[in-house]
Amino acid sequence: MINNSRKKFRLSPPQVLAIGFVLIIFVGSILLSLPISLEGEGQMTWNDALFMATSATCVTGLSVINTGAHLSNFGEIVLIFLVQIGGLGFMTMSTLIALVLRRRISFQERLILQEAMNHESTEGIVRLVRKVLIYALYIELAGAVLYTIRWSFEMPIGKAVYFGIFHSISIFNNAGFDLFGSLPERPGSLMHYVEDPIINIVSMLLVILGGIGFIVISDLLTYPKNKKLTLHSKVVLSASAGLIFIGALVIFIFEFTNTHTLQPLSPMGKLLSSLLQSVSSRSAGINTIDIPFMRQATQFFIIIMMFIGASPGSSGGGIKVTTFVILVGAVIAMMRGNEEIVLFRRRISKERIYKAITFTLLSFSLIVIATIVLTITESYPFLGVLFEVTSAYATAGMSMGLTSQLTEFGKIFLAILMFIGRLGPVTLAYILIPLPEKEHYRYPEGKITIG
């Protein structure tokens, strides 16, 4: 009886992940609501603290306060610590502690890690986690050093180091929080550095490395020895490169004559801005041109890019580039009269195709429902609401200004949406709905007219 009750109440890996994220958000909310987390004698409501903790843990970057101006150094450290945990995954951080303490990783913990890392199996999962931690440390350290060197020319060295570490962690984990609100007369995000090649290039590299996923990074590092890449890496790299190029081209064309964005910039500034906005739009939430002043066509295009998102196994959100590629592959296969999707001479299983369709439809439905709800509760134009909702669900972090004007209901609603987006609707369904038993029979085939 005891063993049966233990089996009955044993949490599944998705449930453990969800509960872990909830606990981290709750602790983060408490810490951010403390007076020590605020600058001067400022106050933060519980809803604001909950929103900021959720945004940081879900590596979104949307903010209801001016992070640099309103948070103290303690508050900023709490925020970036939440970003680091959320970006790498709390189970990855727990595994790090276990490895340091030389504790054995149980099979149940390996299953949770497999779920958290979007890995195919538990085989080699602990080895992958070790690589993830090492890669993240080196990449963030490199980014921090490069940022520090650049910012040491305009601020004291201690502040340059602090800014370098904070922004390297934030941008690599695709969170997009910044501290430039603490500097007088500075615009938000990286807009002050719109034509700065060092800041732009370093930021783009950090976003790309954080967005392609650790499985792909591991593949790239072993490529000189193995001389081969997995199908996953080939799809992610080719699709990411294509989306970055198309995105930059579209933004460049749409905004070229816009006096509020690209038009005043030099040719190099136009190129850098178009590239950074394209790279950032799918997940990172940083920008060098003012999003609200973009043309509506550009804003809607960015909504599509945010919906597509980054790569599985990364800190980015969205439906993921692999899902997008499978959907495009399904359309092409249908138009050619093929029964199977083939990518790089490999057939994609029907299970993957069904999962891609399910994930996309669930994501689309959630965004539609959330947009309808917030157009009722918030006094803001429709496109702005759709932009903010997509940004929250896709954990992209870009904003057209609605987040800072949200009602109390809107803050809680958007925080829940960020949480769902970080876990994924399919994972959430696994948490709430028990898996049905496999059917041992098949129904007769029926035909429905389509089109």
Side-chain angles (χ1 to χ4, degrees), residues 231-248:
L231 175 62
H232 172 81
S233 296
K234 289 177 182 177
V235 170
V236 167
L237 292 172
S238 57
S240 297
L243 287 169
I244 290 170
F245 174 76
I246 293 170

Side-chain angles (χ1 to χ4, degrees), residues 79-147:
L79 193 76
I80 205 63
F81 191 68
L82 291 174
V83 167
Q84 186 72 87
I85 294 175
L88 295 181
F90 80 94
M91 274 306 299
T92 306
M93 302 298 286
S94 301
T95 304
L96 170 63
I97 296 170
L99 292 173
V100 170
L101 297 176
R102 298 183 180 278
R103 188 176 68 82
R104 185 178 176 277
I105 310 298
S106 68
F107 181 70
Q108 179 70 8
E109 290 168 332
R110 290 170 193 265
L111 287 174
I112 298 169
L113 284 169
Q114 178 192 346
E115 181 74 25
M117 299 295 295
N118 272 321
H119 203 246
E120 296 296 323
S121 67
T122 58
E123 186 181 351
I125 191 67
V126 176
R127 187 165 59 252
L128 176 62
V129 169
R130 285 198 189 99
K131 289 180 180 179
V132 165
L133 294 166
I134 293 170
Y135 299 158
L137 177 64
Y138 278 116
I139 293 169
E140 289 173 352
L141 182 61
V145 170
L146 292 172
Y147 278 142

Side-chain angles (χ1 to χ4, degrees), residues 389-401:
V389 165
T390 308
S391 180
Y393 174 76
T395 66
M398 283 192 167
S399 176
M400 282 178 58

Side-chain angles (χ1 to χ4, degrees), residues 394-424:
T395 66
M398 283 192 167
S399 176
M400 282 178 58
L402 170 61
T403 301
S404 59
Q405 302 178 31
L406 285 170
T407 61
E408 296 305 308
F409 171 82
K411 291 173 186 175
I412 295 173
F413 191 82
L414 220 57
I416 294 171
L417 197 63
M418 288 188 285
F419 179 75
I420 294 173
R422 185 69 178 103
L423 285 180

